[in-house]
Amino acid sequence: MLILFSALVSHLLLSAASAAAGPLVQRWAAHLQPWHRSWALLVFALMPPVLTVMSVSFLFVPGLNLLASGEHCHGGDCMAHPPYLAPEQARAAAVATLVLGFPLLGLTALTAMAVWRSTRLSLLLAGLAEQGGQNDYRTLSSRQPSAMCLGVLKPVVVVSEGLVQRLNRNALQCVLLHEHAHALRFDNLRQLLASVGTLAWPRGRRRVFLQEMGLAAELACDAAVVSAGYAG
């Protein structure tokens, strides 16, 4: 229970600090190239959970916590040990863990539901799609022009028949290169990790940050298309 409480408090404090520093980091990252900007924003988004794991491990994992609490004596017992709470402190920690834990569990459940819905939609679209002629994308039976990269661990490029019919070969190749860049960069996975890493941020600031990260990914994929020799 103490470990859970320490992890929860550490994560909330680190998330609050990172959310406060978010606008400054975004302004700094705006001067970077899109490819580097998206990486910098992802690393920043993952700092709260990563630092939480590191701090809790530092305190409670045998061998690591010796660095935080060296050998000392309690009465006649001299040893190194993790932090100890008195029964009253332990009960207070348990109550605080429950009070703070339920909102966090609720946010986690909402995120899991959003991921499940996104995955379900991807599976439905993939089932409706069929392999394209070049075997590097799938076509969706729809007159609405659209192109997308679906999937997290095994992304797939899907374009609608309406888009294929409207674009000439060069324009279609630009679209495919852009979407394949998303697949090669695993941008869906990056966005998911960033969403989880910023779960405890204020809602508005989190939305703006994730939008900025998504824009950086789009610009990076556009740059990949241009570097491949296609200008649109």
Side-chain angles (χ1 to χ4, degrees), residues 11-51:
H11 181 67
L12 291 177
L13 290 175
L14 289 169
S15 294
S18 61
L24 295 176
V25 173
Q26 288 175 247
R27 283 197 290 269
W28 166 78
H31 300 287
L32 301 176
Q33 293 296 324
W35 191 280
H36 299 142
R37 188 191 317 164
S38 60
W39 268 113
L41 294 177
L42 175 62
V43 171
F44 181 75
L46 293 178
M47 284 180 65
V50 171
L51 292 178

Side-chain angles (χ1 to χ4, degrees), residues 100-192:
L100 296 175
F102 278 118
L104 186 60
L105 288 175
L107 289 173
T108 303
L110 290 175
T111 301
M113 185 178 297
V115 172
W116 176 78
R117 287 178 177 176
S118 176
T119 303
R120 184 170 178 269
L121 177 60
S122 299
L123 291 175
L124 288 174
L125 288 175
L128 293 173
E130 59 185 20
Q131 287 293 120
Q134 298 176 352
N135 294 323
D136 59 353
Y137 66 92
R138 295 171 182 262
T139 56
L140 183 65
S141 180
S142 172
R143 295 181 179 180
Q144 185 70 26
S146 59
M148 63 200 80
C149 178
L150 300 176
V152 176
L153 298 179
K154 294 182 178 180
V156 176
V157 175
V158 177
V159 297
S160 67
E161 292 180 352
L163 183 68
V164 174
Q165 294 171 359
R166 289 192 182 191
L167 299 182
N168 58 41
R169 183 175 181 179
N170 184 70
L172 178 61
Q173 190 65 20
C174 288
V175 173
L176 292 176
L177 283 173
H178 178 95
E179 297 303 328
H180 278 298
H182 281 302
L184 292 173
R185 286 166 43 87
F186 288 94
D187 280 329
N188 292 343
L189 177 60
R190 294 191 195 195
Q191 203 73 11
L192 176 61

